[in-house]
Amino acid sequence: MSNIRFQALQAVLTRTIPEVKAPAAKISEYFGSNVFDKKKMKEYLSREAFESIANSIDMGEPVERDMADQVASAMKAWALSKGATHYTHWFQPLTGTTAEKHDAFFEPTSDGAIEKFSGDALAQQEPDASSFPNGGIRNTFEARGYTAWDPSSPAFIMGRTLCIPTVFVSYTGEALDYKVPLLKALNALDKAAVDVAQYFDKSIEKVNASLGIEQEYFLVDLALFNARPDLYLTGRTLFGHMSAKNQQLEDHYFGSIPSRVYAFMQDFENEALQLGIPLKTRHNEVAPSQFECAPVYEEINLAIDHNQLLMDIMDRVGKRHNFKVLLHEKPYAGVNGSGKHNNWSMITNTGKNLLSPGKTPKSNLMFLTFFVNTIKAVYEHADLLRASIASVNNDHRLGANEAPPAIISIFLGSQLNDVLDEIETSRISKKAKEEALLWQGIPKIPQILQDNTDRNRTSPFAFTGNKFELRAVGSSANSANPMTILNLIVADQLKKFKVEVDKLLKKGEKKDVALLTIIKRYIKESKSIRFEGNGYSDEWQQLAEERNLANIKTTPKALDALISEKAETVFESTGVFTRREAHARHEVLLDDFYKKLQIEARVMGELVNNVIIPAAINYQTKLVENVRGLKDIGLKEDVYAAQMDIIRKLAEHINFIKTNNDEMVDERRKANVIEDARDRAIAYDEKVKAYFDPIRYHVDKLEQLVDDALWPLPKFRELLFIK
């Protein structure tokens, strides 16, 4: 078996770097060339049809069915001019990946064939709703579901296929994807934020959430990836000990990008840019063979579509370069894992960032309103935000040195933290003029805060100048899930804020006094979630407990928040989830959790029984033959004492591994028959997974004794080896 290992390493060392050519000299010349964007719509559509689709994109108005025919005809003409032969509805089911079913434009006729694409085909298709995760919403014999066109996310061409972003719903109308709840949450935020923003500026008629997603990932050579059953089947290495040199020098971070990786980056960036994904940044991350790319901010629905598309592009392009892109949150134990930092803000139709202070007290008060309401929303629904980032993969990463802990807290930076403390203790002057500052002793907030706010990488939710950064999202996750929760809880909080302010206004309070009165109370009520220190420290764990902040470390328990009475109330208030949809998602996520652990346990068991123990026994047999030979020639026992010690230790480790592996299999079988999804997930998490680390420990000890004879356990220096 070790020959496979050396063949893989030989393949790595003989790789050639493919030549990568950009479509044009300047990115601006080919950016969005494969996207049916507004510029191309204007070229291909009638004025009436263009205005209809533009209103749908900008204001969320529905597209009339007769306009859909015109749009379909224009899309087809453009797609055919680009060489497309097929079209597909591109959607995001609860698998966490994207899905597509391709149909040809071609249709036979009595005298030949034509290319046809109707408004009906654009607007709606009918994939099988029972074959995707649905949490019991659809039975196997109830297969009908619908994909419906999302005009706010432009169609694009991948290869020779026109891809049309869509939502995915059941025959009975429930959401079966990540996009439907996100769009509902964005709509709820838009309405709530506009209502509050109009206290300050009546010209504000729309508020869009914006998002920039930083994407971290690992690269491993395909030969090494394919030679590792655990990595191939689970996305992470279940066995293998650390290299003597890994990330301890931190010399990989921001270092010179290896030539092979640089070519890969250029290649996938070229494809991404042609698809309108505004990639701006690329660099080495902390762990060996770990990298990051990041785009410019976009409207949140489009940003998430682009991130899902980007992950697909990276995987396909990686294979051209003999790389496997690893998006697992923790593919290697002992080195940093990967996240997907979600940078979120709110932008008005007038171009104002609601989380950026202005030059005047009035602008400062507008900023404080949305800033403090966001803090209050996260304080009230920290459990929901924690549930939104929960997964079996992310459980390995949260709390490690590169990721925030499972305790949801908010970092503001010393300056803003001091400002809120001063407001909390200040006295509001009800006699002051409306244009003046209405509290005493508080300086005006500076307009630019980027350089006045330090970064805190241990905080799950940090303010970074003019946005909040949700750092806890996992690298393989669909960001629609946490962003749906964030937007809906902020929408719910803004609605409550407006009700409370309006009550004071009806009592005759001045507007700014009313606003500050509620803001001041919110600052006090939500103070416990603000934390400026080290989120990794034991002191923070203790302090969080004293503040009654939850520290839910495992996914099955974190997901309980989705079906609580409190969650049901906020879901109903915002109209994002029905009770049935929330319970279905809870079931789907629990199912995903236990099945991934089940796969890991099976892979571990198969490797132990079929590869590791036989290799160890084979090595042990060779040692026994060596000892017997030394005895036969009359040498004393002290000459072969080392061999005898290794033989005994091998026997101890083999027996331990075999016994514990058999017990793990028994626990897995017991867990499989548990009907309740939560109990089954917890059984896997607490009982099955309990065997993982002891088995790994003894396998690691075997490897130290057996060394290169034991496969598939190459040290990480090999998997992380990219020049």
Side-chain angles (χ1 to χ4, degrees):
M1 292 293 288
S2 60
N3 286 337
I4 300 173
R5 178 179 181 176
F6 297 125
Q7 288 170 13
L9 285 170
Q10 187 177 18
V12 173
L13 293 169
T14 56
R15 298 292 190 203
T16 57
I17 301 173
E19 184 181 3
V20 177
K21 291 183 178 180
K26 296 179 181 178
I27 292 175
S28 57
E29 294 176 5
Y30 61 90
F31 179 72
S33 59
N34 288 335
V35 182
F36 193 61
D37 53 22
K38 282 187 177 179
K39 182 179 179 181
K40 298 180 187 71
M41 289 179 196
K42 205 165 190 176
E43 179 183 349
Y44 280 87
L45 288 169
S46 67
R47 181 177 178 181
E48 182 184 21
F50 174 75
E51 289 177 354
S52 174
I53 194 73
N55 284 334
S56 176
I57 294 169
D58 296 336
M59 305 305 294
E61 296 177 4
V63 178
E64 295 178 8
R65 202 64 175 220
D66 60 337
M67 291 299 168
D69 283 324
Q70 291 192 47
V71 175
S73 178
M75 267 191 197
K76 182 191 73 175
W78 171 74
L80 292 176
S81 74
K82 300 286 290 183
T85 59
H86 289 67
Y87 65 92
T88 182
H89 277 197
W90 183 82
F91 59 103
Q92 300 170 32
L94 298 178
T95 56
T97 58
T98 57
E100 53 199 63
K101 174 174 71 77
H102 297 200
D103 287 303
F105 290 120
F106 156 85
E107 284 197 14
T109 63
S110 57
D111 56 351
I114 60 170
E115 266 65 38
K116 185 178 179 182
F117 184 51
S118 67
D120 287 342
L122 166 64
Q124 184 175 302
Q125 280 191 335
E126 187 182 320
D128 188 338
S130 67
S131 296
F132 290 102
N134 60 67
I137 285 177
R138 304 298 289 158
N139 294 311
T140 302
F141 60 88
E142 296 172 321
R144 181 164 288 174
Y146 298 111
T147 51
W149 175 36
D150 172 18
S152 64
S153 185
F156 55 91
I157 290 175
M158 285 271 282
R160 300 186 69 187
T161 302
L162 172 68
C163 300
I164 302 155
T166 62
V167 300
F168 181 38
V169 297
S170 74
Y171 177 67
T172 47
E174 289 94 355
L176 295 176
D177 70 346
Y178 285 107
K179 186 183 275 277
V180 168
L182 176 68
L183 293 175
K184 289 181 177 179
L186 295 175
N187 184 55
L189 179 71
D190 175 26
K191 290 179 179 178
V194 166
D195 286 346
V196 172
Q198 289 200 349
Y199 285 135
F200 309 94
D201 186 349
K202 294 294 183 184
S203 67
I204 294 175
E205 296 177 344
K206 187 167 182 61
V207 172
N208 282 321
S210 71
L211 183 65
I213 304 175
E214 303 168 33
Q215 179 69 60
E216 295 175 338
Y217 60 96
F218 281 87
L219 291 176
V220 61
D221 190 277
L222 267 177
L224 290 167
F225 174 78
N226 290 328
R228 288 290 302 244
D230 51 354
L231 197 56
Y232 186 92
L233 292 171
T234 71
R236 72 184 185 110
T237 52
L238 297 176
F239 298 112
H241 67 259
M242 288 295 297
S243 166
K245 181 181 184 295
N246 47 79
Q247 70 178 47
Q248 62 265 57
L249 297 178
E250 297 185 340
D251 51 348
H252 187 256
Y253 190 52
F254 278 23
S256 177
I257 298 171
S259 300
R260 278 186 69 193
V261 178
Y262 186 71
F264 160 73
M265 287 178 169
Q266 286 183 305
D267 205 355
F268 87 72
E269 285 173 6
N270 287 343
E271 285 207 21
L273 290 163
Q274 289 177 82
L275 289 165
I277 303 172
L279 287 179
K280 181 81 171 176
T281 302
R282 62 186 178 215
H283 64 84
N284 288 7
E285 256 300 335
V286 177
S289 292
Q290 187 188 31
F291 307 93
E292 180 179 308
C293 60
V296 176
Y297 296 87
E298 299 180 278
E299 185 276 325
I300 197 166
N301 178 45
L302 184 58
I304 289 169
D305 280 3
H306 277 166
N307 182 254
Q308 289 297 110
L309 183 56
L310 176 66
M311 291 191 290
D312 185 40
I313 293 168
M314 290 167 69
D315 185 64
R316 288 188 300 99
V317 173
K319 289 168 185 169
R320 292 206 294 260
H321 292 255
N322 291 299
F323 280 135
K324 176 61 181 176
V325 178
L326 300 180
L327 293 173
H328 192 290
E329 281 70 5
K330 198 80 170 175
Y332 308 116
V335 297
N336 276 18
S338 297
K340 184 177 292 188
H341 305 160
N342 280 226
N343 296 278
W344 173 87
S345 191
M346 294 172 280
I347 313 295
T348 70
N349 62 297
T350 61
K352 170 70 176 175
N353 182 343
L354 294 173
L355 292 178
S356 179
K359 296 179 180 179
T360 65
K362 184 177 179 181
S363 295
N364 281 181
L365 186 53
M366 187 177 183
F367 159 74
L368 278 172
T369 295
F370 286 92
F371 181 64
V372 172
N373 270 282
T374 301
I375 295 169
K376 183 72 157 59
V378 174
Y379 167 75
E380 292 291 345
H381 299 286
D383 58 342
L384 271 181
L385 203 58
R386 170 67 182 92
S388 75
I389 51 99
S391 71
V392 65
N393 296 354
N394 217 18
D395 282 355
H396 295 294
R397 169 181 167 263
L398 292 178
N401 288 335
E402 79 286 354
I407 305 166
I408 299 296
S409 65
I410 299 176
F411 171 83
L412 303 180
S414 57
Q415 185 186 56
L416 278 174
N417 202 53
D418 291 345
V419 167
L420 295 193
D421 285 344
E422 288 190 71
I423 295 173
E424 181 190 348
T425 58
S426 67
R427 180 176 62 83
I428 297 173
S429 173
K430 297 186 179 182
K431 295 180 181 180
K433 293 181 181 180
E434 191 169 337
E435 293 80 15
L437 293 175
L438 299 178
W439 60 90
Q440 297 178 353
I442 301 174
K444 183 166 70 71
I445 303 168
Q447 185 182 16
I448 299 174
L449 287 164
Q450 284 91 328
D451 296 328
N452 297 326
T453 303
D454 199 359
R455 296 192 68 193
N456 188 331
R457 66 202 306 266
T458 73
S459 176
F461 197 70
F463 188 72
T464 54
N466 60 359
K467 62 188 183 299
F468 279 99
E469 181 182 21
L470 180 58
R471 294 181 56 86
V473 182
S475 52
S476 67
N478 186 328
S479 288
N481 199 29
M483 287 298 104
T484 295
I485 296 299
L486 178 59
N487 283 283
L488 76 85
I489 63 176
V490 173
D492 182 67
Q493 183 55 54
L494 289 170
K495 284 170 64 179
K496 291 175 179 175
F497 176 77
K498 188 173 189 307
V499 169
E500 296 200 73
V501 170
D502 286 349
K503 282 182 182 177
L504 293 181
L505 294 177
K506 287 179 181 177
K507 291 179 180 179
E509 289 282 16
K510 288 182 179 180
K511 181 176 68 177
D512 285 8
V513 171
L515 290 165
L516 276 169
T517 299
I518 304 303
I519 288 171
K520 183 175 176 178
R521 176 158 61 81
Y522 283 1
I523 291 171
K524 185 175 183 179
E525 290 172 349
S526 61
K527 189 172 184 178
S528 63
I529 204 165
R530 287 158 41 201
F531 179 64
E532 301 296 300
N534 179 9
Y536 298 154
S537 67
D538 293 336
E539 291 79 11
W540 169 231
Q541 305 270 334
Q542 183 178 344
L543 181 59
E545 187 176 353
E546 292 171 5
R547 294 183 181 185
N548 293 319
L549 298 179
N551 184 8
I552 306 172
K553 296 183 178 180
T554 62
T555 291
K557 294 177 182 177
L559 294 176
D560 287 347
L562 293 174
I563 55 172
S564 66
E565 289 185 13
K566 187 178 178 183
E568 191 174 329
T569 300
V570 72
F571 291 160
E572 183 180 354
S573 166
T574 54
V576 173
F577 290 117
T578 65
R579 185 177 188 276
R580 191 180 183 203
E581 287 172 329
H583 279 259
R585 272 156 211 275
H586 181 247
E587 186 89 10
V588 167
L589 293 169
L590 286 170
D591 203 50
D592 179 76
F593 177 88
Y594 105 80
K595 284 180 178 175
K596 285 180 177 176
L597 273 183
Q598 184 186 66
I599 292 168
E600 288 189 357
R602 284 175 171 168
V603 171
M604 182 177 282
E606 289 173 3
L607 286 176
V608 162
N609 285 330
N610 301 329
V611 178
I612 292 167
I613 290 177
I617 291 173
N618 185 52
Y619 182 63
Q620 189 182 47
T621 301
K622 289 181 179 178
L623 289 175
V624 169
E625 291 172 354
N626 175 259
V627 169
R628 184 181 292 117
L630 294 173
K631 273 186 177 181
D632 289 345
I633 62 174
L635 295 178
K636 294 182 179 180
E637 189 174 339
D638 60 337
V639 176
Y640 47 83
Q643 290 94 315
M644 290 297 295
D645 185 52
I646 294 173
I647 290 169
R648 281 191 291 269
K649 287 179 179 177
L650 281 171
E652 290 171 7
H653 293 310
I654 289 169
N655 288 333
F656 182 93
I657 292 167
K658 180 68 170 66
T659 300
N660 277 263
N661 191 58
D662 290 345
E663 290 176 4
M664 180 181 69
V665 171
D666 288 339
E667 288 295 343
R668 198 178 73 225
R669 287 170 178 165
K670 291 174 188 176
N672 287 345
V673 300
I674 299 173
E675 292 187 8
D676 182 80
R678 183 178 184 271
D679 289 345
R680 184 171 59 243
I682 288 176
Y684 264 95
D685 189 38
E686 295 179 353
K687 295 181 179 179
V688 177
K689 202 164 71 172
Y691 289 93
F692 283 23
D693 286 340
I695 290 174
R696 273 198 293 255
Y697 172 81
H698 284 270
V699 169
D700 182 57
K701 291 299 180 183
L702 273 183
E703 185 186 5
Q704 292 173 28
L705 293 168
V706 178
D707 201 18
D708 287 344
L710 190 59
W711 179 260
L713 309 176
K715 298 176 182 66
F716 287 142
R717 66 168 177 260
E718 295 167 4
L719 287 173
L720 302 175
F721 181 65
I722 297 176
K723 284 188 175 181

